[in-house]
Amino acid sequence: MRENMTWVSEFILMGLTSDKNIQAGLFVLFGVTYLLTLLGNGLIVLLIALDPRLHLPMYFFLCHLSVVDICYTSSGVPQMLAHFLMEKKTISFALCGTQLLFALTLGGTEFLLLAAMAYDRSVAVCNPLRYTVVMNPRLCMGLAGVSWFVGVVNSAVETAVTMCLPTCGHNVLNHVACETLTLVRLACVDITLNQVVILASSVVVLMIPCSLVSLSYAHIVAAIMKIHSTQGRRKAFETCASHLTVVSMSYGMALFTYLQPASTASAEQDKVVVIFYALVTPMMNPLIYSLRNKDVKAAFRRVLMKNIESKN
């Protein structure tokens, strides 16, 4: 029995479909979406770096979020695009582990950053006169640093216990990328430890940040209800609208995935979740923040006009 507990050198990914025409269409769709994601998030980072008026706590976290989105989508989408053009969709054991490490790190970091941004919005609405004092550079850097640190540590632990599982020669993954639950399903040994780690991970990077976001918005709602004028309430809500939209998308899909009964989960649903986080969310985030944010749109106009004037 011990001799059969082997690790494979590569995995075969079944992908979304075996139909070559559909694969060609998906290659174009995913390729365009990927380019838009890089362009949108890259533009957000560039605007925040170039415009001093955006050197505020809110945009500091937004810059980190855009960097996470660029890295997250780049950790899996190029491989998906390549596999649409390949007959045999394989990924080496080492590359699979690396992909899993980056995906878990960036996914966890994003959830934690959204919680930090919720706290930032809470201070802005509930205590506007002390906003710059409370959300000082040291605190902002500390919150961002903790988000990245927890994301890395959580990912390292989960990746280690996942990739150490022997598969007894089984190497076919019914997925578009290396994903924890799909890899665990191939294991030919007891997976109790993995189930505990996955549960602990979901608590650390999902449930706790989600609870903090809910608490922050409870304070925000309470503060808004105390504002007597309709215009004042609208203005207070507008400061949170973009973040609330992104939070609803990110946490909504994650909670739906983790809280549903295990018996109803399917490989196809897992693929949809991965594609949602790899393509849809990273592309939508800069659109949501730019379309709803007057400061970002004004910064874009200033940078554009400055560039035109410099050429003239």
Short mmCIF file of all heavy atoms in Angstrom, two decimals, residues 197-225:
data_model
loop_
_atom_site.label_atom_id
_atom_site.label_comp_id
_atom_site.label_asym_id
_atom_site.label_seq_id
_atom_site.Cartn_x
_atom_site.Cartn_y
_atom_site.Cartn_z
N VAL A 197 -7.72 22.43 8.09
CA VAL A 197 -6.98 23.60 7.59
C VAL A 197 -7.86 24.47 6.69
O VAL A 197 -7.84 25.70 6.78
CB VAL A 197 -5.72 23.14 6.82
CG1 VAL A 197 -5.08 24.32 6.08
CG2 VAL A 197 -4.71 22.52 7.77
N ILE A 198 -8.64 23.84 5.82
CA ILE A 198 -9.54 24.58 4.94
C ILE A 198 -10.58 25.35 5.75
O ILE A 198 -10.89 26.52 5.47
CB ILE A 198 -10.23 23.63 3.94
CG1 ILE A 198 -9.22 23.07 2.95
CG2 ILE A 198 -11.35 24.35 3.19
CD1 ILE A 198 -9.76 21.97 2.06
N LEU A 199 -11.12 24.71 6.79
CA LEU A 199 -12.09 25.38 7.65
C LEU A 199 -11.46 26.55 8.38
O LEU A 199 -12.03 27.66 8.42
CB LEU A 199 -12.66 24.38 8.67
CG LEU A 199 -13.65 24.94 9.70
CD1 LEU A 199 -14.87 25.52 8.99
CD2 LEU A 199 -14.07 23.86 10.69
N ALA A 200 -10.27 26.34 8.94
CA ALA A 200 -9.57 27.41 9.66
C ALA A 200 -9.24 28.56 8.71
O ALA A 200 -9.37 29.74 9.07
CB ALA A 200 -8.29 26.87 10.30
N SER A 201 -8.84 28.20 7.49
CA SER A 201 -8.51 29.22 6.50
C SER A 201 -9.72 30.07 6.14
O SER A 201 -9.62 31.30 6.05
CB SER A 201 -7.96 28.54 5.24
OG SER A 201 -7.76 29.49 4.21
N SER A 202 -10.87 29.43 5.97
CA SER A 202 -12.09 30.17 5.62
C SER A 202 -12.51 31.09 6.76
O SER A 202 -13.06 32.17 6.52
CB SER A 202 -13.21 29.20 5.26
OG SER A 202 -13.57 28.41 6.37
N VAL A 203 -12.24 30.69 7.99
CA VAL A 203 -12.56 31.54 9.15
C VAL A 203 -11.66 32.76 9.17
O VAL A 203 -12.11 33.90 9.35
CB VAL A 203 -12.43 30.74 10.46
CG1 VAL A 203 -12.52 31.69 11.66
CG2 VAL A 203 -13.51 29.68 10.55
N VAL A 204 -10.34 32.54 8.94
CA VAL A 204 -9.36 33.61 9.05
C VAL A 204 -9.50 34.64 7.93
O VAL A 204 -9.49 35.85 8.18
CB VAL A 204 -7.92 33.03 9.05
CG1 VAL A 204 -6.89 34.15 8.93
CG2 VAL A 204 -7.69 32.23 10.31
N VAL A 205 -9.64 34.18 6.69
CA VAL A 205 -9.62 35.12 5.56
C VAL A 205 -11.00 35.43 5.00
O VAL A 205 -11.11 36.26 4.09
CB VAL A 205 -8.71 34.60 4.42
CG1 VAL A 205 -7.30 34.42 4.90
CG2 VAL A 205 -9.26 33.32 3.82
N LEU A 206 -12.04 34.77 5.52
CA LEU A 206 -13.39 35.06 5.02
C LEU A 206 -14.36 35.48 6.11
O LEU A 206 -14.90 36.58 6.07
CB LEU A 206 -13.93 33.84 4.27
CG LEU A 206 -15.36 33.97 3.71
CD1 LEU A 206 -15.44 35.15 2.74
CD2 LEU A 206 -15.80 32.69 3.04
N MET A 207 -14.57 34.61 7.10
CA MET A 207 -15.59 34.88 8.10
C MET A 207 -15.23 36.06 9.00
O MET A 207 -16.07 36.93 9.26
CB MET A 207 -15.84 33.62 8.94
CG MET A 207 -16.34 32.43 8.14
SD MET A 207 -17.77 32.81 7.09
CE MET A 207 -18.99 33.26 8.33
N ILE A 208 -13.98 36.11 9.47
CA ILE A 208 -13.58 37.22 10.34
C ILE A 208 -13.60 38.55 9.58
O ILE A 208 -14.19 39.53 10.07
CB ILE A 208 -12.18 36.96 10.96
CG1 ILE A 208 -12.27 35.81 11.97
CG2 ILE A 208 -11.64 38.23 11.64
CD1 ILE A 208 -10.95 35.44 12.61
N PRO A 209 -12.99 38.65 8.38
CA PRO A 209 -13.09 39.90 7.64
C PRO A 209 -14.54 40.28 7.31
O PRO A 209 -14.90 41.45 7.37
CB PRO A 209 -12.30 39.61 6.35
CG PRO A 209 -11.34 38.56 6.74
CD PRO A 209 -12.06 37.70 7.72
N CYS A 210 -15.36 39.28 6.97
CA CYS A 210 -16.77 39.56 6.67
C CYS A 210 -17.48 40.12 7.89
O CYS A 210 -18.29 41.05 7.77
CB CYS A 210 -17.45 38.28 6.19
SG CYS A 210 -19.15 38.53 5.64
N SER A 211 -17.17 39.58 9.06
CA SER A 211 -17.77 40.09 10.30
C SER A 211 -17.32 41.52 10.57
O SER A 211 -18.13 42.36 11.00
CB SER A 211 -17.37 39.19 11.47
OG SER A 211 -17.85 37.87 11.29
N LEU A 212 -16.05 41.81 10.31
CA LEU A 212 -15.54 43.17 10.52
C LEU A 212 -16.18 44.15 9.54
O LEU A 212 -16.49 45.29 9.92
CB LEU A 212 -14.01 43.18 10.35
CG LEU A 212 -13.22 42.40 11.41
CD1 LEU A 212 -11.73 42.39 11.05
CD2 LEU A 212 -13.42 43.01 12.79
N VAL A 213 -16.39 43.71 8.31
CA VAL A 213 -17.07 44.56 7.33
C VAL A 213 -18.50 44.84 7.77
O VAL A 213 -18.98 45.98 7.70
CB VAL A 213 -17.07 43.88 5.94
CG1 VAL A 213 -18.01 44.63 4.98
CG2 VAL A 213 -15.67 43.84 5.35
N SER A 214 -19.19 43.80 8.25
CA SER A 214 -20.57 43.97 8.71
C SER A 214 -20.64 44.93 9.89
O SER A 214 -21.53 45.78 9.97
CB SER A 214 -21.15 42.60 9.12
OG SER A 214 -21.16 41.71 8.02
N LEU A 215 -19.67 44.81 10.81
CA LEU A 215 -19.63 45.69 11.97
C LEU A 215 -19.38 47.14 11.54
O LEU A 215 -20.02 48.07 12.05
CB LEU A 215 -18.53 45.23 12.94
CG LEU A 215 -18.38 46.00 14.25
CD1 LEU A 215 -19.67 45.89 15.07
CD2 LEU A 215 -17.19 45.48 15.05
N SER A 216 -18.47 47.33 10.61
CA SER A 216 -18.16 48.68 10.12
C SER A 216 -19.39 49.31 9.48
O SER A 216 -19.71 50.48 9.73
CB SER A 216 -17.01 48.62 9.11
OG SER A 216 -15.82 48.21 9.71
N TYR A 217 -20.10 48.54 8.67
CA TYR A 217 -21.28 49.09 8.00
C TYR A 217 -22.46 49.28 8.95
O TYR A 217 -23.34 50.11 8.70
CB TYR A 217 -21.66 48.24 6.79
CG TYR A 217 -20.90 48.67 5.56
CD1 TYR A 217 -19.75 48.01 5.15
CD2 TYR A 217 -21.30 49.79 4.84
CE1 TYR A 217 -19.03 48.43 4.05
CE2 TYR A 217 -20.59 50.22 3.73
CZ TYR A 217 -19.45 49.54 3.34
OH TYR A 217 -18.74 49.99 2.25
N ALA A 218 -22.48 48.52 10.02
CA ALA A 218 -23.50 48.76 11.05
C ALA A 218 -23.28 50.14 11.67
O ALA A 218 -24.24 50.90 11.90
CB ALA A 218 -23.43 47.66 12.11
N HIS A 219 -22.02 50.48 11.94
CA HIS A 219 -21.69 51.81 12.47
C HIS A 219 -22.00 52.89 11.43
O HIS A 219 -22.48 53.97 11.78
CB HIS A 219 -20.21 51.87 12.86
CG HIS A 219 -19.88 51.14 14.13
ND1 HIS A 219 -20.35 51.53 15.36
CD2 HIS A 219 -19.14 50.04 14.36
CE1 HIS A 219 -19.91 50.73 16.31
NE2 HIS A 219 -19.17 49.79 15.71
N ILE A 220 -21.71 52.59 10.16
CA ILE A 220 -21.98 53.57 9.10
C ILE A 220 -23.47 53.85 8.98
O ILE A 220 -23.89 55.01 8.90
CB ILE A 220 -21.41 53.05 7.76
CG1 ILE A 220 -19.88 53.08 7.79
CG2 ILE A 220 -21.94 53.89 6.59
CD1 ILE A 220 -19.23 52.42 6.59
N VAL A 221 -24.27 52.80 8.97
CA VAL A 221 -25.73 52.97 8.86
C VAL A 221 -26.26 53.75 10.05
O VAL A 221 -27.11 54.65 9.89
CB VAL A 221 -26.42 51.59 8.76
CG1 VAL A 221 -27.94 51.76 8.88
CG2 VAL A 221 -26.07 50.90 7.45
N ALA A 222 -25.77 53.44 11.25
CA ALA A 222 -26.22 54.15 12.45
C ALA A 222 -25.87 55.63 12.36
O ALA A 222 -26.67 56.51 12.74
CB ALA A 222 -25.57 53.53 13.69
N ALA A 223 -24.67 55.94 11.84
CA ALA A 223 -24.25 57.33 11.71
C ALA A 223 -25.08 58.06 10.66
O ALA A 223 -25.46 59.22 10.84
CB ALA A 223 -22.77 57.39 11.35
N ILE A 224 -25.38 57.38 9.54
CA ILE A 224 -26.16 58.00 8.47
C ILE A 224 -27.59 58.29 8.94
O ILE A 224 -28.17 59.33 8.59
CB ILE A 224 -26.18 57.08 7.22
CG1 ILE A 224 -24.79 57.04 6.57
CG2 ILE A 224 -27.22 57.55 6.21
CD1 ILE A 224 -24.68 56.12 5.39
N MET A 225 -28.16 57.41 9.74
CA MET A 225 -29.52 57.60 10.25
C MET A 225 -29.62 58.82 11.16
O MET A 225 -30.70 59.39 11.33
CB MET A 225 -29.98 56.35 10.99
CG MET A 225 -30.14 55.12 10.11
SD MET A 225 -31.27 55.39 8.71
CE MET A 225 -32.82 55.62 9.60
#
